[in-house]
Amino acid sequence: MGKENSKVESSLILPFAPIEDEPMSPLTVEKTKVTSTDTSPPIPSLVSEEKTKEIDLQPTGETGSAEERNLTRHHPGHFRDDPVGFMMQMGAFYQGTGWRSYKNYIGTRILYEGYTEEVKERVLNSERVLYMIAYLAEKQANLLAQTIPNATPKMISGRKKLLEKELQAVANGMVDKLVADLNSLKFIRLFGFFVNNILVRMYHQGVHISEREFLELRRIAIHAAQNSQSLIILPCHKSHIDYLVISYMFFRLGLALPHIAAGDNLDLPIVGRILKRGGAFYIRRSWGEDQLYGSVVKEYVEGLLERGHNVECFIEGTRSRTGKLLPPKLGVLKIILECILSGRAKDCWIVPMSIQYDKVIETETYVNELLGNPKERESLWGIVTNTRLLQLKWGRIDVRFAKPYSLQGFINEQIERRKSFDPNNEQQKITLLRALGYQVLSDINSVSVVMPTALVGTVVLTLRGRGVGRNELIRRIEWLRAAILAKGGRVAEFGDMTTGEIVDRAITVLKDLIKERKELLEPVFYAEKRFELSFYRNQVMHLFVSEAIISAAMYTKIKQGGAKSTQRLHISTLLDEVAFLSQLLKVEFVYQPGEIEMNLENTLKGLIKDRVMTLEDEYVLLSDNERAIGRENYDFYCFLIWPFIETYWLAAISLFSMTPTNPPQPTTTIVNKTATKKPVPIIWFNEQDFHNKCQLFGKTLYYQGDLSYFEAVNKETLKNAFIRLEEVGLIMVKRSRNTKVMPTIALSPDYVPTRNSEGAIEPKGKLWDLVERIGKFRREGKNRRDNATVSSRVLGLAEIVGTPTTADVVVMTNLMSRPVKAGKPEAKL
């Protein structure tokens, strides 16, 4: 690696210049080494022979390894297939035979008569909730006294007592809706049979776990139970089935069922009550300024931790519609962290968890939502009672646990690394919380298993042709599998099955997404539903994001063609391009820990070792071997990341639609050595309406050939793009604590484009520079070589997008001006 310009230049596109001290950026933090605070002696006989037999972890036989276990093997799912076996299975659950008795589970006691009422009473009589009721009653009584002339102290006191009674009733209602109803062991056995039957019928190839990981989890669970400490289960979230899988596994493996934090949108008739009796507790997505509700939720969760009950919450907050991990949602995790920092609970154990499916039931629904169609009402009940779905064979489920670690140990490690920490400093707590959130995401990625369907979907979507023959598909899947293992990733084990057999099985599961043409010289497979198939490709993305970013950066030269010497990039220029792309896409991906220069160097070493690229005199270029094989491996990396780059380009170009009809030309007036800019009008749009119009804009560009990927218009990635553009100051967003008030969005005055004498938007200025910078990395298309044609056509469409509708909030007010010192450059946003 050359030393010239080894540090990233900050003068390129200013909004995406690397930030020197941004501790929570996944690009710049050092790797957190979590040291366990578990000082208890090792437990030599965690699983006796008798217990092992009771747990009944059977090897998967011909479809697995000795280390992997199928929890539902030999469980009949259909009465008509095995009437005797089915009835015996049902009887075993009813009578509580063997592990189904669930009487000797590991963890704090639950499932006894009166459990729920005890918890409710503790919450309602807690110091925190009683104080909040008294505080709010007094506050409202005093406000009432100010509005009533000659109000006597007795009147105010009487009013306060009445308000306290009313608030107590409100708190009772909140607690009734909140607290999980874990009273009945009989119900849990029945629920276990019900879930077992559903999983066996839908995922006919079983629910697979790692025995080694389970034994480690069991060891930690025993230690936690001895010390009245909680397991904090933090899984990824891809499907409503996740709820069933996790609870079934804990029941099946003899661990105390977790209390599951779920959004109140799932508190539906029938299914809501069932899930609540299985451990779910429902919380609002946000509670704004409702101080009483916040106190009730915090008291409930902290009480669970204080008594050592297991708690489960999905780190992403919602189901991932795109297949990859979402940025962490930290609401419940914040309560847990503050409980440990306050000392109310001494410690708890973080258990990151990955759940991977051969096929996710809801992917078709996800595509509709990502295309902007109205979201369907949440209905787990609709899934588990749909007889058509239950008859289909969806493959297998693979569940993996990362090594559990002490939250107190994590906190101590972070404090030691930062040298100082004030638990009363809100900003430092947020920094610590974000570090924990991204650590969990990284842990989930590290143990996630790549399923055969993800392998097949990835290969089909990363080839240049319209389709692929079976032999070529098998060859590329073998290459991809080897590449994943070389990166330290995991691939689902299928024992002695050949790659061809695995491919055939995966294509059978994906038969509605991948079609086969048999009338040709050899069978050819092609993507029938590319958008939906991208869900499976994105499950591989985290393993190759560094290679993909470098490949996209190299594309700025390689796409120009010509001699080999012209398709190379100096290492310092490559670093600048990689830094820009990494900062642009930082909301999308969890990067490897460490400095960007070191990550670039390590990734390049891997690409050189794999003979994809080579380094000559501080210039990076494609290797002769890669050119000889038609750039197939290099193209693979580009195809992985191009759809995301397309979406961010679309988000940036759509901002031109916010250009005022008659923006004033920028002028500056000097008064007393102070430069004052001429005001620029700000147009505020309804945020949701603007996002919808951007999707329509993207669909138009796709069908006209200006976008290569239809999935670039998906609203989740667009939303992330707008979040990033807001973070760097290109757009401004007004939000209200009142959830009924819709957010509004506007273009920052510094990025407002100009218009020419005919009133057309001009392709120049800061915003256009950013659009062109992102556009350098996009896949070439037939309509994108003539930039003048592109700018006039695309910006003309942007004008249509910007036409206000009745849903827009258009405010031509507060013409902003910002004084800056004369002779000084304008400050970065």
Side-chain angles (χ1 to χ4, degrees):
M1 297 280 287
K3 296 183 179 180
E4 181 183 351
N5 295 329
S6 61
K7 293 294 181 183
V8 179
E9 292 293 331
S10 61
S11 59
L12 296 171
I13 299 296
L14 290 179
F16 294 103
I19 300 172
E20 289 297 324
D21 186 18
E22 186 179 1
M24 287 324 307
S25 168
L27 281 174
T28 58
V29 296
E30 297 178 3
K31 183 171 180 60
T32 301
K33 296 180 180 178
V34 180
T35 56
S36 170
T37 59
D38 179 6
T39 57
S40 62
I43 305 171
S45 56
L46 293 179
V47 187
S48 64
E49 291 183 8
E50 180 181 354
K51 280 290 182 182
T52 303
K53 183 177 180 181
E54 180 181 327
I55 294 171
D56 190 30
L57 290 177
Q58 295 295 331
T60 55
E62 63 179 6
T63 60
S65 67
E67 197 261 347
E68 189 176 281
R69 296 294 180 263
N70 179 359
L71 296 182
T72 59
R73 188 169 182 245
H74 300 317
H75 290 196
H78 294 272
F79 176 82
R80 64 175 176 270
D81 293 340
D82 184 2
V84 175
F86 185 87
M87 295 304 296
M88 290 179 63
Q89 177 87 342
M90 185 169 63
F93 273 96
Y94 179 77
Q95 296 172 10
T97 303
W99 55 267
R100 301 168 188 83
S101 70
Y102 200 62
K103 290 182 178 179
N104 299 315
Y105 56 83
I106 301 169
T108 303
R109 296 298 94 183
I110 51 176
L111 300 173
Y112 58 85
E113 193 65 33
Y115 166 78
T116 303
E117 292 305 317
E118 285 181 13
V119 174
K120 289 180 180 179
E121 186 176 348
R122 288 195 193 102
V123 173
L124 291 170
N125 293 325
S126 66
E127 183 178 347
R128 171 186 275 136
V129 173
L130 292 177
Y131 169 80
M132 185 56 64
I133 288 173
Y135 166 75
L136 293 175
E138 183 174 1
K139 182 179 179 181
Q140 293 181 38
N142 291 337
L143 288 174
L144 184 65
Q146 295 173 12
T147 60
I148 301 177
N150 304 320
T152 64
K154 184 176 181 180
M155 290 175 58
I156 296 174
S157 177
R159 181 59 178 168
K160 180 182 175 182
K161 290 181 179 179
L162 181 61
L163 287 169
E164 286 181 348
K165 288 183 179 180
E166 292 176 352
L167 288 170
Q168 186 70 50
V170 172
N172 286 339
M174 291 176 175
V175 170
D176 286 339
K177 192 174 182 66
L178 176 69
V179 174
D181 187 8
L182 285 168
N183 285 321
S184 174
L185 178 57
K186 283 186 177 180
F187 173 82
I188 292 300
R189 289 175 183 164
L190 177 63
F191 187 59
F193 170 73
F194 176 70
V195 174
N196 180 84
N197 192 43
I198 289 173
L199 294 179
V200 169
R201 294 177 68 179
M202 295 179 68
Y203 291 94
H204 64 295
Q205 293 170 13
V207 178
H208 297 252
I209 66 167
S210 162
E211 183 179 7
R212 175 181 54 82
E213 292 173 358
F214 162 67
L215 292 177
E216 175 63 14
L217 175 61
R218 182 181 170 86
R219 184 187 76 83
I220 294 297
I222 292 173
H223 172 68
Q226 291 171 343
N227 293 276
S228 297
Q229 295 170 355
S230 303
L231 301 180
I232 309 301
I233 315 302
L234 299 172
C236 59
H237 198 11
K238 288 186 168 62
S239 170
H240 278 317
I241 299 296
D242 295 341
Y243 297 101
L244 305 181
V245 171
I246 298 169
S247 294
Y248 174 78
M249 285 189 57
F250 272 62
F251 174 76
R252 176 75 174 80
L253 299 174
L255 304 178
L257 292 177
H259 294 67
I260 308 166
D264 60 357
N265 56 325
L266 284 175
D267 190 9
L268 302 170
I270 304 177
V271 68
R273 178 64 177 157
I274 292 174
L275 291 179
K276 197 170 186 181
R277 296 187 71 184
F281 64 94
Y282 301 110
I283 57 177
R284 302 175 191 168
R285 293 289 182 181
S286 62
W287 51 80
E289 297 180 353
D290 192 336
Q291 294 173 291
L292 179 58
Y293 185 78
S295 296
V296 168
V297 173
K298 289 177 183 177
E299 182 61 33
Y300 177 55
V301 175
E302 289 188 6
L304 293 176
L305 297 177
E306 186 179 27
R307 290 182 293 279
H309 290 295
N310 296 338
V311 176
E312 172 193 330
C313 65
F314 293 100
I315 187 67
E316 300 162 278
T318 186
R319 291 171 296 162
S320 170
R321 271 75 170 168
T322 61
K324 65 180 185 60
L325 288 179
L326 303 175
K329 293 293 189 297
L330 304 172
V332 175
L333 211 57
K334 182 174 186 288
I335 297 175
I336 294 171
L337 180 67
E338 289 177 342
C339 182
I340 301 300
L341 289 173
S342 70
R344 181 171 179 178
K346 292 183 179 180
D347 202 359
C348 60
W349 294 83
I350 302 298
V351 185
M353 180 178 178
S354 167
I355 308 175
Q356 301 295 331
Y357 300 84
D358 255 334
K359 189 171 185 183
V360 172
I361 297 171
E362 301 100 318
T363 50
E364 186 175 352
T365 302
Y366 291 166
V367 169
N368 288 330
E369 291 181 23
L370 293 174
L371 288 174
N373 298 322
K375 183 179 178 181
E376 293 185 9
R377 186 176 177 85
E378 308 281 3
S379 180
L380 175 60
W381 182 255
I383 292 174
V384 300
T385 58
N386 188 321
T387 55
R388 184 185 66 85
L389 291 178
L390 293 177
Q391 300 303 322
L392 297 176
K393 297 184 183 298
W394 299 87
R396 63 186 267 179
I397 303 173
D398 275 69
V399 181
R400 295 293 183 270
F401 298 98
K403 183 179 176 62
Y405 51 87
S406 157
L407 179 53
Q408 187 64 63
F410 176 86
I411 293 170
N412 293 340
E413 193 74 37
Q414 291 290 312
I415 292 174
E416 175 65 24
R417 191 167 70 83
R418 290 175 167 81
K419 303 304 180 186
S420 65
F421 178 76
D422 179 5
N424 296 317
N425 185 310
E426 195 63 29
Q427 187 56 49
Q428 289 187 16
K429 281 199 296 187
I430 292 173
T431 298
L432 182 62
L433 183 64
R434 285 173 56 83
L436 177 60
Y438 278 102
Q439 179 69 52
V440 171
L441 292 184
S442 179
D443 293 336
I444 292 173
N445 273 338
S446 70
V447 297
S448 292
V449 173
V450 178
M451 307 300 284
T453 48
L455 293 173
V456 172
T458 300
V459 169
V460 169
L461 290 182
T462 53
L463 295 172
R464 285 193 175 272
R466 294 188 181 91
V468 58
R470 184 175 183 275
N471 291 334
E472 177 67 6
L473 179 60
I474 291 173
R475 184 183 72 83
R476 290 302 295 168
I477 284 176
E478 288 177 339
W479 173 86
L480 178 56
R481 182 180 182 277
I484 291 171
L485 296 176
K487 292 281 292 182
R490 303 182 179 191
V491 180
E493 290 288 342
F494 277 83
D496 297 331
M497 292 181 64
T498 66
T499 304
E501 291 172 329
I502 295 172
V503 168
D504 292 339
R505 178 176 286 190
I507 289 178
T508 299
V509 174
L510 296 175
K511 59 186 177 182
D512 54 333
L513 307 184
I514 297 177
K515 297 297 183 182
E516 178 183 6
R517 293 196 179 279
K518 298 181 179 180
E519 72 278 9
L520 307 176
L521 295 178
E522 67 168 329
V524 173
F525 300 99
Y526 63 96
E528 174 75 5
K529 299 180 180 178
R530 301 184 69 89
F531 201 143
E532 193 170 338
L533 200 58
S534 68
F535 180 93
Y536 301 93
R537 180 208 59 208
N538 289 342
Q539 295 176 27
V540 177
M541 183 71 208
H542 68 279
L543 291 163
F544 303 108
V545 64
S546 297
E547 290 82 356
I549 287 176
I550 291 176
S551 297
M554 288 295 299
Y555 187 69
T556 59
K557 279 290 185 182
I558 292 174
K559 69 179 180 180
Q560 296 175 4
K564 176 180 174 181
S565 60
T566 65
Q567 298 183 39
R568 61 180 190 168
L569 214 55
H570 193 273
I571 190 67
S572 62
T573 306
L574 178 61
L575 178 60
D576 290 339
E577 303 287 29
V578 166
F580 172 79
L581 269 181
S582 299
Q583 288 293 317
L584 177 70
L585 300 172
K586 64 178 291 186
V587 180
E588 292 295 332
F589 305 115
V590 180
Y591 299 112
Q592 289 295 319
E595 296 296 329
I596 191 170
E597 293 89 350
M598 183 60 67
N599 284 341
L600 173 61
E601 183 174 350
N602 291 337
T603 306
L604 273 178
K605 286 180 180 178
L607 289 170
I608 291 170
K609 180 181 177 181
D610 294 338
R611 299 197 298 172
V612 176
M613 294 183 186
T614 188
L615 186 64
E616 297 178 358
D617 299 326
E618 298 191 349
Y619 283 89
V620 180
L621 64 162
L622 288 183
S623 69
D624 292 336
N625 179 76
E626 185 65 18
R627 292 176 184 277
I629 62 176
R631 292 182 3 190
E632 63 179 9
N633 298 332
Y634 169 78
D635 285 348
F636 167 82
Y637 297 127
C638 288
F639 277 115
L640 283 178
I641 203 166
W642 270 334
F644 296 96
I645 295 174
E646 289 269 81
T647 302
Y648 279 70
W649 177 85
L650 172 61
I653 197 73
S654 69
L655 298 185
F656 278 89
S657 65
M658 295 184 178
T659 307
T661 306
N662 296 302
Q665 295 301 313
T667 59
T668 302
T669 304
I670 307 296
V671 179
N672 296 328
K673 298 183 180 181
T674 299
T676 303
K677 286 187 173 183
K678 186 173 181 178
V680 176
I682 300 176
I683 303 180
W684 292 93
F685 292 84
N686 176 287
E687 185 182 45
Q688 184 59 55
D689 188 59
F690 179 76
H691 287 183
N692 292 340
K693 288 197 282 188
C694 287
Q695 281 197 291
L696 181 60
F697 181 37
K699 292 175 185 177
T700 305
L701 294 179
Y702 172 78
Y703 285 111
Q704 290 187 355
D706 292 299
L707 281 180
S708 296
Y709 300 93
F710 192 52
E711 66 189 87
V713 306
N714 92 72
K715 73 174 186 179
E716 288 298 324
T717 311
L718 266 175
K719 182 174 71 174
N720 288 342
F722 286 122
I723 289 173
R724 189 69 185 114
L725 294 176
E726 180 188 359
E727 288 177 351
V728 298
L730 268 77
I731 57 178
M732 305 176 293
V733 181
K734 287 182 179 179
R735 297 182 178 90
S736 172
R737 286 184 176 271
N738 185 348
T739 56
K740 295 181 180 180
V741 178
M742 297 296 294
T744 55
I745 184 172
L747 184 61
S748 170
D750 289 345
Y751 289 87
V752 173
T754 57
R755 294 180 182 270
N756 59 24
S757 57
E758 298 177 354
I761 299 175
E762 295 183 303
K764 63 181 183 180
K766 279 186 173 183
L767 182 56
W768 184 253
D769 290 342
L770 176 62
V771 168
E772 287 204 309
R773 182 73 193 274
I774 299 173
K776 287 170 49 178
F777 307 101
R778 298 171 64 212
R779 182 184 180 187
E780 278 289 0
K782 64 183 182 67
N783 289 340
R784 290 202 292 275
R785 295 186 182 276
D786 181 1
N787 195 56
T789 303
V790 172
S791 63
S792 61
R793 182 177 63 255
V794 173
L795 294 183
L797 290 171
E799 289 271 33
I800 300 175
V801 174
T803 304
T805 67
T806 54
D808 288 324
V809 181
V810 183
V811 186
M812 301 285 289
T813 59
N814 298 326
L815 304 182
M816 298 177 61
S817 60
R818 296 194 307 159
V820 292
K821 294 291 184 181
K824 295 279 187 179
E826 186 173 353
K828 287 194 301 181
L829 289 171

